[in-house]
Amino acid sequence: MRRLARMVGCDVNHANEDAWSTLAQWFAERQIRTIVDGAMLVLSCGNIPAGAPVLGAGIGDAVVQEVARRLGRNYLSFDSILDVVPDARERASHCAPASALASLASA
């Protein structure tokens, strides 16, 4: 991993494609572990029902699906709960905080 860490900030030609791919996988894994650790701390408080799903939105959707899998929870896509025309759901999901506020404001 030390070799990979030295690659950060380098030009692409300083390593081969496999090395860059491995570095990207390492970053993704660290991100997922950090999120899972945080979620486990929150869940350990016992304030969230055991059956509550993990909600994912936007470009981080795939990461959230993996987090839900690791937590043993169901996954729910934010765009599936939006009350908008189907053609706008994906774009609205990419702007989840703004979409949530718009939904609250229209309620």
Side-chain angles (χ1 to χ4, degrees):
M1 194 49 55
R2 286 182 190 213
R3 182 182 182 312
L4 292 176
R6 287 183 287 185
M7 290 169 38
V8 176
C10 293
D11 289 332
V12 71
N13 61 356
H14 286 128
N16 64 33
E17 188 174 329
D18 289 339
W20 287 115
S21 179
T22 300
L23 179 63
Q25 290 171 346
W26 180 82
F27 275 120
E29 181 61 29
R30 292 302 308 144
Q31 179 185 35
I32 291 168
R33 286 184 189 181
T34 299
I35 295 168
V36 168
D37 287 350
M40 291 179 85
L41 284 172
V42 171
L43 293 171
S44 71
C45 293
N47 297 328
I48 298 175
V54 176
L55 185 66
I59 61 172
D61 199 52
V63 170
V64 179
Q65 287 181 43
E66 178 59 18
V67 168
R69 186 191 68 75
R70 291 185 188 191
L71 293 173
R73 294 204 168 230
N74 290 326
Y75 166 82
L76 182 64
S77 177
F78 184 76
D79 66 3
S80 71
I81 64 171
L82 289 173
D83 188 20
V84 297
V85 295
D87 290 346
R89 284 192 177 146
E90 183 179 353
R91 287 176 294 195
S93 178
H94 285 218
C95 307
S99 298
L101 285 175
S103 292
L104 288 171
S106 67

